Amino acid sequence: MARDPDKQLLESVETRRARLISAFLHGELAGRRNVSDNVKRLVGSIVLAAVACAGCAGYSFVNNLGGLGQ
């Protein structure tokens, strides 16, 4: 399958730039963790904290409603 040489060169440069930026930001390849793994963990933690907070607030609200009638 013949490819356009210009397109191939542009893809090569784009890949090289992405690797250089990644190496600059995160250090050596052997010593770094995949960023998407950490982002997934962060988002999961935020969602879990929000659900726990909403549960506590809901319980407090319902518990407070029962005390108003007395």
Side-chain angles (χ1 to χ4, degrees):
M1 176 188 273
R3 292 187 60 176
D4 184 21
D6 292 335
K7 185 175 181 180
Q8 186 175 5
L9 177 64
L10 290 174
E11 288 176 358
S12 174
V13 169
E14 181 181 353
T15 302
R16 184 173 305 221
R17 283 184 183 170
R19 288 181 182 169
L20 284 172
I21 290 171
S22 181
F24 178 72
L25 293 176
H26 305 291
E28 293 183 16
L29 183 61
R32 67 180 179 215
R33 181 180 289 249
N34 194 355
V35 175
S36 64
D37 289 344
N38 289 334
V39 171
K40 288 178 186 176
R41 288 181 183 171
L42 176 66
V43 170
S45 297
I46 291 172
V47 168
L48 183 62
V51 169
C53 184
C56 289
Y59 175 78
S60 176
F61 178 74
V62 170
N63 199 19
N64 192 23
L65 283 179
L68 289 177
Q70 295 177 349

